[in-house]
């Protein structure tokens, strides 16, 4: 018989441990279960707080005795244990859903297939630099559940994946940002793009006419859904091809925003973030900052002082007139599209990894225009080779990042850009995209130091 006061947390990483801590604080009988080994960091926290847990496997009976289950975003609803939980009628929610029940702070929620981490970090930076009491949560920062134990923040800026949104029901975003929707993670959604779109649009559920919805209207899947769906919140479109007002756009090298009774005009030149995709990210963050009441002066100052996270068009080095760019976070073709648009000079493009059903036709025209050579890096480069071998002047298929960097060095001339923007997952050769980017940086710096 399920105990309505028993909270079972599936997954013992940052979000799971945070949910367990919050559950204990709120009087739940908490049990955490992870099919893998816990890290020393989280095991020590659970031991210190006397929270029961198991690792290296789930005990079905213990999990199915729950009154409420908080599930790690990485665990699909189709897993056998979760299917059993759902069949028993036990509610399954995300850590963000649980945390939102225990805060009255303003919530700025950000999602999209690409750009959400940069936009989240920038929005948080603008608010923090302006002196606001603001927390950073979701896919970046600390667990929201852990933060709301104290709940001493005025605002939380939250990066949300589709996996997190899948198990959110009552969550209410005061400001929602939807940057774009392109095919990604379709293996999780029965290879049905419409299911993935539905997951992204869950960020709008429970919004009211007093809330804000900021979106990139040039992204056709997103724009067409906005036209079809009832959207209760105030809409603030952003565009690179038009001039929505109210909303945000780019004109004559300036970011123009008209929202919440304020008009801003900020020159792009000299800002730390460059490229069309980052113009979209900045416009969305500016409107979110407007919604929180920041002044134009505070916003412009915050934009100028921002530094992006690693692995996102990160300039690693400038060696003999060649720029080496680490864009390891580009794990889908859409990300590579925006990366290529960011550079005018000839590009040597390093692609490859675990293909996720990529359609390289999306970047074919840009590759023909800008790329002088492609280096395919992975255990299986056949798909990239089949598509691009006759498209660019130079093509090589290699099995390691070290070989790829050395080959790019041999091809590069002053004025060129060597761009690691893989369009693929990293798990064939690396622990994750961060490991891939770190190794790229290390190999490039070896060149500079030799």
């Amino acid at each position: 018989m399920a105990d309505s006061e028993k909270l079972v947390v599936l997954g013992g990483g940052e979000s799971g441990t945070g949910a367990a801590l919050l559950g204990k604080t709120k009087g739940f009988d908490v049990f955490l279960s992870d099919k893998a080994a816990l890290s020393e960091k989280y095991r020590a926290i659970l031991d210190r707080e006397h929270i029961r847990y198991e690792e290296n496997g789930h005990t079905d009976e213990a999990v199915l005795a729950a009154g409420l289950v908080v599930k790690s975003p990485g665990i699909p609803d189709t897993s056998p244990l979760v299917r059993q939980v759902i069949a028993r009628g036990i509610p399954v929610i995300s850590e963000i859903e649980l945390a939102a029940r225990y805060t009255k702070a303003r919530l700025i929620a950000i999602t999209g297939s690409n750009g959400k981490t940069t936009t989240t970090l920038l929005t948080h930076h603008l608010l923090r630099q302006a002196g606001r009491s603001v927390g950073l949560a979701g896919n970046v920062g600390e667990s929201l559940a852990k933060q709301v134990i104290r709940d001493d923040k005025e605002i939380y800026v939250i990066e949300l994946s589709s996996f997190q949104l899948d198990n959110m029901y009552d969550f209410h975003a005061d400001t929602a940002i939807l940057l774009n929707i392109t095919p990604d993670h379709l293996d999780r959604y029965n290879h049905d793009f419409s299911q993935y779109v539905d997951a992204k649009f869950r960020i709008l559920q429970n919004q009211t006419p007093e809330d804000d919805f900021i979106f990139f209207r040039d992204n056709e899947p997103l724009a067409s859904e906005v036209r079809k769906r009832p959207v209760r919140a105030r809409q603030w479109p952003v565009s690179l091809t038009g001039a929505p007002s109210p909303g945000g756009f780019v004109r004559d090298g300036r970011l123009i925003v008209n929202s919440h009774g304020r008009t801003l005009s900020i020159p792009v030149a000299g800002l730390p973030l460059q490229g069309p995709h980052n113009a979209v990210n900045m416009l969305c963050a500016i409107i979110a900052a407007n919604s929180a009441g920041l002044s134009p002066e505070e916003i412009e100052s915050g934009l100028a002082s921002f530094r992006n996270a690693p692995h996102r068009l990160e300039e690693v080095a400038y060696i003999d007139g060649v720029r080496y760019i680490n864009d390891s976070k580009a794990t889908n073709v859409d990300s590579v599209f925006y990366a290529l648009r960011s550079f005018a000079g000839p590009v040597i493009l390093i692609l490859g990894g675990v293909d996720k059903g990529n359609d390289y036709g999306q970047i074919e025209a840009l590759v023909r225009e800008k790329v002088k050579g492609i280096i395919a890096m992975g255990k299986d480069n056949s798909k990239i080779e089949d598509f691009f071998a006759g498209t660019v002047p130079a093509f090589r298929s290699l099995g390691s990042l070290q070989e790829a960097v050395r080959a790019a060095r041999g091809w590069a001339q002053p004025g060129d850009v060597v761009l690691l923007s893989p369009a693929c997952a990293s798990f064939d050769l690396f622990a994750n995209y961060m490991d891939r980017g770190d190794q790229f940086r290390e190999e490039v710096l070896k060149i500079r130091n030799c």
Side-chain angles (χ1 to χ4, degrees):
M1 190 72 177
D3 181 353
S4 62
E5 296 301 314
K6 182 173 182 180
L7 172 66
V8 170
V9 179
L10 296 179
E14 177 67 20
S15 67
T17 302
L21 292 170
L22 177 61
K24 179 193 174 188
T25 301
K26 299 304 178 182
F28 285 93
D29 173 17
V30 179
F31 177 67
L32 183 146
S33 178
D34 198 311
K35 71 175 183 179
L38 298 175
S39 73
E40 284 296 330
K41 172 184 175 181
Y42 297 121
R43 190 184 296 116
I45 292 172
L46 296 170
D47 285 338
R48 185 184 70 232
E49 297 299 324
H50 305 291
I51 293 173
R52 294 185 301 117
Y53 64 89
E54 64 180 353
E55 54 185 324
N56 297 309
H58 300 300
T59 303
D60 290 5
E61 296 78 9
V63 173
L64 295 174
L68 177 66
V69 169
V70 172
K71 176 177 71 66
S72 165
I75 303 173
D77 286 344
T78 54
S79 73
L81 181 55
V82 176
R83 283 183 182 274
Q84 291 184 67
V85 170
I86 293 171
R88 294 280 184 98
I90 303 168
V92 179
I93 64 174
S94 73
E95 172 247 342
I96 302 293
E97 175 80 0
L98 177 71
R101 297 177 178 180
Y102 297 103
T103 180
K104 294 182 178 179
R106 181 180 186 85
L107 302 180
I108 300 175
I110 300 167
T111 195
S113 301
N114 298 295
K116 55 185 176 290
T117 299
T118 297
T119 306
T120 301
L121 293 173
L122 176 58
T123 303
H124 175 260
H125 176 80
L126 295 178
L127 295 167
R128 186 182 62 186
Q129 290 296 108
R132 298 302 177 89
S133 172
V134 58
L136 178 68
N139 282 349
V140 290
E142 284 192 323
S143 156
L144 181 64
K146 183 162 61 176
Q147 293 185 64
V148 304
I149 291 173
R150 294 181 60 184
D151 201 28
D152 56 355
K153 302 296 185 186
E154 172 193 358
I155 304 169
Y156 292 103
V157 182
I158 311 166
E159 178 189 332
L160 295 175
S161 69
S162 59
F163 298 168
Q164 290 165 314
L165 287 161
D166 282 335
N167 295 107
M168 292 167 58
Y169 306 96
D170 298 322
F171 176 90
H172 165 232
D174 298 279
T175 298
I177 298 176
L178 215 174
L179 292 162
N180 45 61
I181 305 177
T182 60
D184 201 5
H185 303 300
L186 295 189
D187 53 337
R188 181 81 171 246
Y189 295 98
N190 301 310
H191 297 280
D192 183 345
F193 185 52
S194 66
Q195 292 185 23
Y196 177 62
V197 171
D198 288 342
K200 287 297 189 186
F201 267 85
R202 292 177 70 89
I203 199 169
L204 300 186
Q205 63 188 358
N206 306 312
Q207 282 203 301
T208 73
E210 286 71 48
D211 299 320
D212 295 302
F213 172 43
I214 306 164
F215 65 100
F216 180 41
R217 77 172 190 188
D218 298 357
N219 177 246
E220 182 50 35
L222 171 51
S224 64
E225 289 296 322
V226 170
R227 290 191 294 267
K228 291 188 295 187
R229 294 171 182 257
V231 177
R232 299 187 66 202
R234 293 173 295 206
Q235 296 185 34
W236 307 100
V238 163
S239 176
L240 297 179
T241 60
S245 186
F249 56 95
V250 177
R251 176 182 288 164
D252 299 328
R254 303 182 76 87
L255 302 172
I256 311 293
V257 168
N258 181 5
S259 79
H260 302 86
R262 300 178 181 88
T263 299
L264 288 84
S265 176
I266 301 171
V268 175
L271 291 178
L273 293 177
Q274 293 292 310
H277 63 299
N278 277 324
V280 174
N281 298 337
M282 288 188 286
L283 289 167
C284 290
I286 290 168
I287 297 174
N290 268 345
S291 76
L294 268 64
S295 71
E297 295 76 18
E298 289 172 328
I299 292 171
E300 190 161 1
S301 173
L303 286 173
S305 62
F306 178 67
R307 296 295 178 268
N308 202 3
H311 315 298
R312 295 160 177 84
L313 291 178
E314 171 196 4
E315 182 158 336
V316 174
Y318 184 74
I319 305 171
D320 298 333
V322 178
R323 297 172 66 193
Y324 290 81
I325 306 296
N326 168 20
D327 195 34
S328 183
K329 185 64 169 65
T331 58
N332 57 42
V333 178
D334 194 57
S335 295
V336 181
F337 176 86
Y338 287 111
L340 289 173
R341 289 181 65 189
S342 300
F343 302 104
V347 174
I348 297 167
L349 177 61
I350 303 175
L351 287 171
V354 179
D355 188 279
K356 299 188 290 183
N358 290 345
D359 176 10
Y360 292 107
Q362 183 181 349
I363 59 172
E364 184 177 10
L366 274 175
V367 167
R368 290 184 183 276
E369 176 190 349
K370 297 192 175 191
V371 175
K372 64 184 282 185
I374 285 178
I375 297 169
M377 172 195 67
K379 288 186 176 179
D380 181 4
N381 297 322
S382 56
K383 185 174 179 180
I384 295 172
E385 185 169 356
D386 290 345
F387 195 95
F388 288 113
T391 302
V392 293
F395 183 95
R396 287 194 68 181
S397 181
L398 300 169
S400 75
L401 189 146
Q402 292 78 11
E403 291 177 292
V405 171
R406 286 197 293 268
R409 169 68 165 164
W411 288 355
Q413 300 293 324
D416 290 353
V417 173
V418 174
L419 172 64
L420 171 68
S421 194
C424 298
S426 56
F427 303 119
D428 57 342
L429 298 175
F430 309 95
N432 48 47
Y433 78 86
M434 295 174 286
D435 178 39
R436 178 170 59 192
D438 289 341
Q439 290 194 38
F440 175 77
R441 187 189 304 110
E442 181 180 343
E443 291 302 315
V444 170
L445 294 179
K446 285 180 184 177
I447 293 172
R448 188 182 67 180
N449 295 331
C450 66

